[in-house]
Amino acid sequence: MKFIIILFLLILSNYLSAQNLNTESATKFWKIIDVVKKDIPISNELWSEFRNAKADSLWFGMARQLDKNYELYYRNAIEIVFRPSNKSKLDSIINLPKDNSRNLQNIFVIGMYQNYFLNEQGIREFYKRVSETAYLDTIYNIAITMLPKKFKKPTERLNALNIYIHGIESGANATRHGIMFSMAGLYNFEKEHFGILGAHELHHLLRVSKLKGSIQSNHKFAVDIMESCLNEGSADILNNLPVFEKPEFTDLKTMTLINSEEKLRTIDKWFSERFADTSKTRSEEEIATLFNYLGGHNPGYFMARTIVVNGFKNELRETIDNPFHFFLLYQKAAKKDKSKPPTFSIKTINFIKQLEKLYYNK
């Protein structure tokens, strides 16, 4: 499981609190790259300066919980990829077959090569653009396209928000410390659609579900599933829909949509069983397995995309605080969709409506 989580961390990642654009980590990353490209090894002093930047310290702290060698893998990857004297070693690693023979160190090297080495000049130029732009205003204006039209801008909250730009991997994470973006992640998503990845993360902060009361233990699994699917699926519309048809997003698209229909059938089975038998419930581990340990992206994006392409985007926006309606709206969209995606049984629909009456605060 740890291997799966780290793999996803290398591809996309999923963790909130951004007006203050902190580029300390990014600046120090390029300082290291400039040194290593001269075939000079990274000194402990230089590395300490880099890893003690706020964003890096936070990231490495989280990553260490997944693998104690994470930071070492990353440091080694920089030297293998960017030091000219390591070219033969780099060539041997990037030409490895795409199978389980790749160990974690090699995966870090390949990620560094694909994300930063091949795109170095483009990322440097893009990073400069982000640094010189009112980035928060840009991503806010995109994020609110998936929020109710009468949404009130939380100015004070936004002014207190921190955005960190760093050079680790290719993800975008939302933590209690702030929104953290890797330069590679921003570049990959935003080089042609400026602001969409940032909008995804900001949407998580701005969207709040109106749930009420204490959720019963035998209802919690269902509410958690619906909330996760809405949370990630609605935000994914902002950044995935514009780019997923491009070849470079094939792997991420596959991961986000693989077996989505089967996952919906599983959810239907679980919900209908629970409606018929109040003793039926599902564990957190079962839910995590259903989601491939990636939160509600899959099948959330499949559901949100089905809703949007069938003409119900405005209704989704106006009910973005209601995870129960998200599932009911998917049902309506799926019945309209000519590709005939899975629909829910009457037992499942009745169960969702029952939960909505109990827990949605109108």
Side-chain angles (χ1 to χ4, degrees), residues 119-134:
N119 299 314
E120 180 184 352
Q121 189 57 40
I123 292 176
R124 285 183 185 261
E125 293 172 359
F126 185 83
Y127 163 62
K128 187 172 184 291
R129 179 185 177 188
V130 172
S131 302
E132 296 174 351
T133 303

Side-chain angles (χ1 to χ4, degrees), residues 52-306:
N52 287 330
K54 180 73 171 179
D56 299 328
S57 178
L58 291 171
W59 185 287
F60 286 134
M62 292 186 293
R64 196 180 301 114
Q65 299 175 35
L66 301 177
D67 192 297
K68 64 180 181 180
N69 294 317
Y70 183 99
E71 186 175 339
L72 177 62
Y73 291 146
Y74 190 71
R75 179 173 175 171
N76 290 342
I78 292 176
E79 292 213 359
I80 293 171
V81 171
F82 283 97
R83 280 192 71 180
S85 59
N86 284 328
K87 187 178 185 308
S88 60
K89 186 174 184 178
L90 171 63
D91 289 342
S92 68
I93 293 174
I94 63 176
N95 289 316
L96 285 170
K98 289 186 176 181
D99 57 30
N100 291 333
S101 65
R102 290 180 175 180
N103 59 34
L104 282 177
Q105 180 63 81
N106 291 341
I107 289 172
F108 274 74
V109 169
I110 292 167
M112 178 66 66
Y113 175 77
Q114 293 177 339
N115 289 317
Y116 288 95
F117 184 85
L118 295 180
N119 299 314
E120 180 184 352
Q121 189 57 40
I123 292 176
R124 285 183 185 261
E125 293 172 359
F126 185 83
Y127 163 62
K128 187 172 184 291
R129 179 185 177 188
V130 172
S131 302
E132 296 174 351
T133 303
Y135 189 66
L136 179 59
D137 292 339
T138 299
I139 65 177
Y140 176 80
N141 289 332
I142 298 172
I144 60 174
T145 64
M146 281 301 293
L147 292 169
K149 292 179 180 179
K150 293 183 179 180
F151 178 79
K152 293 182 180 180
K153 186 175 184 178
T155 304
E156 289 186 12
R157 191 178 180 193
L158 291 172
N159 287 341
L161 194 60
N162 293 305
I163 295 179
Y164 297 96
I165 309 294
H166 61 78
I168 305 175
E169 309 310 341
S170 59
N173 295 332
T175 77
R176 61 187 176 86
H177 302 285
I179 300 178
M180 300 168 62
F181 298 108
S182 70
M183 289 181 285
L186 285 178
Y187 174 75
N188 289 337
F189 272 96
E190 299 190 0
K191 57 189 174 185
E192 296 179 15
H193 301 274
F194 192 65
I196 60 172
L197 186 60
H200 174 114
E201 297 302 330
L202 184 60
H203 187 268
H204 286 322
L205 184 150
L206 299 175
R207 190 201 72 82
V208 179
S209 285
K210 289 185 178 179
L211 299 178
K212 66 179 180 180
S214 178
I215 298 172
Q216 297 176 29
S217 58
N218 60 353
H219 289 159
K220 188 176 185 303
F221 83 93
V223 176
D224 286 349
I225 286 173
M226 288 186 278
E227 172 65 9
S228 294
C229 287
L230 171 58
N231 188 51
E232 294 297 353
S234 58
D236 280 342
I237 289 296
L238 298 170
N239 63 294
N240 289 348
L241 201 59
V243 302
F244 262 16
E245 298 312 312
K246 297 180 180 180
E248 61 265 37
F249 285 92
T250 299
D251 289 345
L252 183 57
K253 179 181 179 181
T254 299
M255 185 171 62
T256 307
L257 291 171
I258 189 169
N259 297 327
S260 291
E261 296 191 4
E262 185 59 35
K263 292 178 188 298
L264 287 172
R265 293 187 184 98
T266 298
I267 292 172
D268 182 48
K269 178 176 180 291
W270 288 359
F271 283 17
S272 61
E273 287 177 349
R274 171 57 187 79
F275 184 72
D277 183 350
T278 58
S279 68
K280 292 283 187 180
T281 187
R282 297 290 167 173
S283 67
E284 291 183 3
E285 180 64 21
E286 286 177 293
I287 297 172
T289 301
L290 175 72
F291 289 158
N292 297 334
Y293 301 94
L294 306 179
H297 291 283
N298 186 358
Y301 175 64
F302 179 89
M303 298 175 72
R305 186 187 65 174
T306 300

Side-chain angles (χ1 to χ4, degrees), residues 23-34:
T23 60
E24 177 191 16
S25 170
T27 299
K28 291 180 177 179
F29 172 81
W30 292 122
K31 182 178 179 180
I32 285 181
I33 299 304
D34 290 340

